[in-house]
Amino acid sequence: MAFSPAGPVVTHARARRRADAGAGARRRADVVVSMDAADAERCLALIREHRPDMKQFAEVEVEVKYDAAPLGEGGFCTAYRAVFRGEEVCARVVDSSKESQVVAEVATVGDLPKIAIKVYGCATTTRASDGKKYLAVLSELCENGCLEDFMVREKAQGRELSERVKLDVFLQVAEGLEELKRARVVWRDLKAKNLLVRSVIRNAFGTVTKITIGFTDWGTAVRLPKVGKRRMTLQGPGTCGYIAPETR
């Protein structure tokens, strides 16, 4: 650094980058970057354009539990518990910089088989702590979270899932992929984080005897054209460690 005239400038630039990274981390700690009212309406308009059948609800119909701990975080949103028309649901509150991913996912969500986590629709929501607007996608609430975290918790409590239960989950995944194939949907992001635990059955000793799972996160999914037409899906997105090596 001392031997280069540009050294101090590089140092200051690095400091700025560190400061920016710290600010970004603080914003993430605040959960999501908010939209203004115009941003939210623009995103809703895009969703209406791509999915005219997707229901959009009035803000007064949705109460997002911002004061409670988040249910989890994804690539473009943070999931919260919410109340919608008297029923508990999951509200995935969107980071304003990820609007395109939201529209892409919502555009694929329609007409998916029952293995997919149910999506009710979307709405804007205002967080009381800052008074700012956010877009929320409302979906089925899965109290036990994703399969990966569920298995870790069970193992930590000395109740690792039996081979029988694991095999049953494997078969559910295989059958779900067959359902998607019949619907001509290529998911492209199969992993334990994207398998939500819909229900759990335990015996008298608390040991899990049955899990029912559902698929979620359709941001990278594509719907194939009609039979007889082709669409190239290689070089596609996915999560390192899970994607097929020939697609990278």
Side-chain angles (χ1 to χ4, degrees):
M1 180 181 72
F3 298 100
S4 170
V9 176
V10 172
T11 302
H12 295 326
R14 286 175 178 166
R16 279 198 303 274
R17 285 197 296 271
R18 290 193 190 102
D20 291 344
R26 285 192 294 276
R27 283 195 299 271
R28 174 52 65 184
D30 262 346
V31 182
V32 290
V33 180
S34 69
M35 301 178 175
D36 59 26
D39 290 333
E41 181 52 42
R42 184 174 64 254
C43 198
L44 288 173
L46 285 170
I47 292 172
R48 283 194 295 271
E49 178 184 341
H50 287 79
R51 285 286 310 284
D53 62 312
M54 171 66 74
K55 293 181 179 180
Q56 296 186 4
F57 304 107
E59 184 170 343
V60 294
E61 295 184 86
V62 182
E63 181 187 355
V64 180
K65 304 293 186 181
Y66 285 116
D67 294 335
L71 297 172
E73 289 192 12
F76 62 81
C77 65
T78 301
Y80 288 94
R81 191 181 299 272
V83 177
F84 168 62
R85 295 179 177 177
E87 179 182 350
E88 279 203 311
V89 299
C90 172
R92 292 183 296 159
V93 179
V94 178
D95 185 323
S96 63
S97 65
K98 306 293 185 181
E99 295 174 16
S100 60
Q101 282 112 308
V102 178
V103 174
E105 173 168 349
V106 169
T108 311
V109 162
D111 302 321
L112 289 174
K114 292 181 179 180
I115 190 67
I117 295 299
K118 183 177 181 180
V119 175
Y120 300 107
C122 54
T124 55
T125 172
T126 303
R127 196 164 81 180
S129 61
D130 58 19
K132 295 179 180 178
K133 292 278 186 184
Y134 299 86
L135 178 71
V137 178
L138 308 179
S139 61
E140 175 184 345
L141 177 64
C142 296
E143 299 271 4
N144 292 289
C146 72
L147 179 63
E148 181 176 303
D149 294 344
F150 180 80
M151 292 177 69
V152 169
R153 290 196 303 270
E154 289 297 303
K155 186 174 182 179
Q157 295 173 14
R159 301 185 304 212
E160 186 170 3
L161 302 186
S162 67
E163 295 301 318
R164 181 186 295 273
V165 172
K166 291 178 181 177
L167 178 59
D168 181 65
V169 170
F170 179 84
L171 292 174
Q172 288 181 59
V173 172
E175 290 168 0
L177 292 175
E178 282 293 326
E179 291 180 19
L180 291 179
K181 181 180 178 181
R182 288 191 291 271
R184 300 191 64 74
V185 172
V186 181
W187 189 8
R188 303 197 293 183
D189 204 11
L190 170 59
K191 57 184 178 182
K193 281 285 187 185
N194 288 342
L195 302 176
L196 298 188
V197 179
R198 279 175 152 157
S199 64
V200 179
I201 298 175
R202 300 179 185 271
N203 62 20
F205 303 100
T207 304
V208 173
T209 58
K210 171 73 176 179
I211 293 174
T212 303
I213 55 99
F215 295 175
T216 191
D217 194 345
W218 304 95
T220 61
V222 294
R223 190 180 293 276
L224 298 179
K226 294 180 180 179
V227 177
K229 295 185 178 181
R230 295 183 179 181
R231 173 167 179 169
M232 181 65 71
T233 60
L234 295 180
Q235 306 301 325
T239 302
C240 292
Y242 295 89
I243 56 175
E246 66 269 17
T247 67
R248 305 305 285 176

